[in-house]
Amino acid sequence: MSLQSPLGRVRGLGSAKNGTHHWWIQRVTAVALLPLTLWFAVAMIKMTGSSHGVAIAWVRSPFNAIMLLLLIIATFHHMQLGLQVVIEDYIHSEGAKLVLILAQKLASFALAIAAGFAVLKIAFGG
Amino acid sequence: MSSNDRPLSPHLQIYRWQWTMALSILHRATGIGLAAGTLLLVGWLLAMSEGPERYAAYQGILDHWFGRLLLFGWTWALFYHLCNGIRHLIWDTGRGFELNIAAASGYIVGGASIVLTVIAWVASYSNMGAT
């Protein structure tokens, strides 16, 4: 006999009130990162050793700037989801766990903003 | 009797060491490594946005043998996490859990990550020679 209410079961959110959201977004960002990562790897191979001017011109191309921004968003979103799970698995003290997860999420967000800002600054010719 | 002293699952020490366990742990290890490696990407973009001098200085750091070693490790970690990530996505569809298939896909992932890393570096070095 299940002690879960019919409403609770149909909502499917569990005790953390989050359901499969974390798992699902990790998969969504993973799928997004497949083409984005391959595109980035090929671009980096082509740009190896190139000058500042060549690199700037590459980022200024609208397609490359958009792809870079997508890569940055998907990468850092996927990263903070993954690091959260690692911390939850290995850090058993409730306080340290909370502090580390918070620090990790804020750092991921800050890095994403810094990278995105750099791309926009270059793309808009700053 | 305190319940807190009981050993926690998964009792890693009682399992016979297997290739697939190493792959599983490597997925996590490369994920953590790649998270640290994003600093390289952010540094590259920021240096580029700050002008030619900063960019040249940044390239100088990566040109050092230690910088190249970091970049090489990062390349392999990226390809490993990418290939094994595809393996995980296939598992998510409920396929490939048979023991022999899971082992075989593990060998494919390990091999592919090394092959892709070598291809990327050979292509990069030949590009550098061309320009």
Side-chain angles (χ1 to χ4, degrees):
Chain A
M1 191 190 93
S2 170
L3 292 176
Q4 209 179 13
S5 71
L7 181 61
R9 195 156 60 241
V10 86
R11 280 186 178 148
L13 294 177
S15 59
K17 307 285 176 270
N18 225 348
T20 56
H21 183 72
H22 183 286
W23 184 90
W24 175 244
I25 298 300
Q26 199 167 32
R27 266 64 190 176
V28 171
T29 49
V31 170
L33 281 167
L34 293 178
L36 290 169
T37 307
L38 287 174
W39 165 82
F40 183 70
V42 171
M44 286 306 103
I45 290 166
K46 285 188 187 159
M47 295 229 303
T48 309
S50 57
S51 67
H52 182 251
V54 171
I56 287 278
W58 180 77
V59 176
R60 280 216 178 123
S61 138
F63 178 78
N64 292 337
I66 291 166
M67 287 292 276
L68 272 175
L69 289 172
L70 290 172
L71 176 78
I72 289 162
I73 292 167
T75 296
F76 286 102
H77 200 19
H78 190 78
M79 170 175 135
Q80 58 92 13
L81 291 169
L83 288 178
Q84 181 190 338
V85 175
V86 173
I87 293 166
E88 285 169 347
D89 281 356
Y90 302 132
I91 310 294
H92 300 308
S93 132
E94 211 51 48
K97 190 198 297 183
L98 184 67
V99 168
L100 279 172
I101 289 177
L102 265 177
Q104 173 279 118
K105 292 214 180 229
L106 295 175
S108 300
F109 197 67
L111 285 172
I113 294 294
F117 170 77
V119 169
L120 291 174
K121 187 183 173 207
I122 297 163
F124 293 135
Chain B
M1 197 184 98
S2 164
S3 61
N4 289 332
D5 293 336
R6 286 182 299 196
L8 292 166
S9 172
H11 308 287
L12 267 186
Q13 65 276 16
I14 69 161
Y15 287 118
R16 180 174 56 84
W17 188 255
Q18 303 179 67
W19 172 242
T20 43
M21 289 163 70
L23 289 173
S24 172
I25 290 164
L26 268 179
H27 193 69
R28 199 158 255 205
T30 51
I32 296 167
L34 288 168
T38 58
L39 293 172
L40 288 176
L41 171 68
V42 177
W44 181 65
L45 289 168
L46 283 175
M48 198 195 301
S49 75
E50 280 165 3
E53 294 83 24
R54 285 288 182 93
Y55 191 70
Y58 188 77
Q59 277 187 317
I61 296 170
L62 289 185
D63 267 347
H64 190 265
W65 68 266
F66 189 70
R68 285 199 188 187
L69 187 69
L70 275 182
L71 212 50
F72 186 81
W74 196 69
T75 313
W76 175 76
L78 186 69
F79 284 129
Y80 179 81
H81 203 84
L82 184 79
C83 293
N84 204 46
I86 295 171
R87 190 165 167 244
H88 269 281
L89 288 172
I90 293 168
W91 282 338
D92 288 341
T93 70
R95 296 176 181 86
F97 284 113
E98 297 81 0
L99 285 181
N100 56 334
I101 295 176
S105 64
Y107 281 113
I108 294 170
V109 161
S113 68
I114 293 167
V115 168
L116 286 169
T117 307
V118 170
I119 290 174
W121 277 70
V122 168
S124 282
Y125 269 98
S126 57
N127 255 355
M128 260 166 88
T131 48

